[in-house]
Amino acid sequence: VLRNAVHVEEAEMEKCVRDVMKEKKIKQEDTGFKTNLHISLLQISGYKKLYLNVENLRKVPYDSDNEEHEEQLIELWNLLMPHENLKARITKQWCDIGFQGDDPKTDFRGMGLLGLVNLVYFSKHYTDEARQILSHSNHPKLGYSYAIVGINLTEMAYSLLKNGALKSHLYNMVSGLPQMEHFHQFYCYLVYEFDKFWFEEEPESIMHFNQYREKFHEKIKGLLLDCDVILTLQN
């Protein structure tokens, strides 16, 4: 009964809780237990669903013929560079926000649409912070490629979700079904904290990026081991 309980749809959850209590001979009048079990089962099944939703978004390749994809890309530019117009869709200007070449679509290969959606979410909900971090990324000595690092941090958030490391964080944050919004919020935390970490560490050059990324990854994994952890940016 319990094994099946973590796969039950939300509409069936109440019946499922009653079945578990019956099986374990727990009185149905025990509302405290009933409520806690209901929340826990929603969180567990919700985590699995969230991973599938994130994975599905990651599997969608960026398509420059897709109007919605293109609109999101242009929105990213407008949010980060409000005083500068794009001269063309394919232009070296994309390097100004940290893409590698003159067409950003090639940089989304690894993380698909998820990488873009994360970048847009951060820029939209934390616009001041995003512009500030973009400004930091242009530092003459400690600079880094803003968009490329952002996509790299999407991969970090994705892998932590996939291997179950985000369970305590999400269970503490949401007393019910974790949503895509909560994944995006965690991503925002990573971007903000990585920028701080990078400047505190003062790497000799961007060539050492992988070494410092791994050090940051280990730091986050350590924080996530705390069963009371909640890692979010306060808006």
Side-chain angles (χ1 to χ4, degrees), residues 25-37:
K25 298 182 172 58
I26 297 162
K27 289 177 181 173
Q28 297 290 336
E29 297 79 50
D30 189 342
T31 51
F33 181 86
K34 190 180 280 187
T35 302
N36 288 336
L37 181 60

Side-chain angles (χ1 to χ4, degrees), residues 16-64:
C16 182
V17 168
R18 284 200 303 272
D19 291 347
V20 170
M21 290 175 77
K22 188 177 170 187
E23 194 71 29
K24 290 291 179 185
K25 298 182 172 58
I26 297 162
K27 289 177 181 173
Q28 297 290 336
E29 297 79 50
D30 189 342
T31 51
F33 181 86
K34 190 180 280 187
T35 302
N36 288 336
L37 181 60
H38 193 270
I39 289 170
S40 298
L41 291 176
L42 277 179
Q43 289 175 323
I44 295 166
S45 62
Y47 192 95
K48 293 169 191 284
K49 280 186 198 135
L50 175 61
Y51 168 68
L52 289 175
N53 291 339
V54 168
E55 174 68 350
N56 287 338
L57 195 54
R58 188 189 71 85
K59 282 180 179 170
V60 177
Y62 184 89
D63 179 4
S64 47

Side-chain angles (χ1 to χ4, degrees), residues 58-209:
R58 188 189 71 85
K59 282 180 179 170
V60 177
Y62 184 89
D63 179 4
S64 47
D65 293 327
N66 185 311
E67 209 174 299
E68 282 182 24
H69 294 190
E70 288 285 288
E71 280 172 5
Q72 285 191 71
L73 186 58
I74 301 303
E75 184 181 12
L76 177 66
W77 174 270
N78 291 335
L79 284 163
L80 292 172
M81 305 289 275
H83 306 302
E84 194 176 324
N85 291 329
L86 272 176
K87 293 181 174 66
R89 165 59 183 80
I90 293 176
T91 167
K92 287 281 180 223
Q93 282 177 286
W94 289 113
C95 298
D96 295 345
I97 60 171
F99 286 104
Q100 282 179 321
D102 54 9
D103 190 351
K105 78 171 186 184
T106 55
D107 293 326
F108 293 117
R109 280 187 192 138
M111 285 290 110
L113 202 58
L114 182 64
L116 176 59
V117 169
N118 272 168
L119 282 167
V120 171
Y121 185 95
F122 181 58
S123 302
K124 200 173 188 171
H125 292 82
Y126 300 96
T127 311
D128 291 345
E129 290 85 349
R131 289 175 188 166
Q132 189 178 23
I133 291 170
L134 175 61
S135 168
H136 292 171
S137 75
N138 290 320
H139 190 281
K141 185 173 179 292
L142 297 172
Y144 57 84
S145 300
Y146 176 85
I148 295 296
V149 168
I151 294 167
N152 204 290
L153 292 170
T154 289
E155 194 280 326
M156 188 182 291
Y158 164 77
S159 67
L160 289 165
L161 179 72
K162 185 178 182 181
N163 68 22
L166 286 189
K167 282 180 179 174
S168 289
H169 161 72
L170 285 171
Y171 294 168
N172 291 332
M173 197 178 172
V174 195
S175 60
L177 291 166
Q179 306 291 335
M180 187 67 84
E181 173 92 6
H182 302 117
F183 177 78
H184 294 326
Q185 285 284 340
F186 176 68
Y187 167 81
C188 294
Y189 170 86
L190 287 185
V191 176
Y192 189 79
E193 290 298 319
F194 179 80
D195 181 68
K196 280 202 307 194
F197 172 84
W198 182 261
F199 279 88
E200 281 163 8
E201 293 286 330
E202 296 186 351
E204 286 172 43
S205 82
I206 194 67
M207 302 307 289
H208 296 99
F209 175 76

Side-chain angles (χ1 to χ4, degrees), residues 215-233:
K215 190 175 177 183
F216 180 69
H217 194 189
E218 290 302 317
K219 179 184 174 181
I220 297 298
K221 283 195 284 189
L223 292 173
L224 288 168
L225 291 175
D226 178 359
C227 59
D228 296 318
V229 71
I230 297 182
L231 303 179
T232 53
L233 267 180

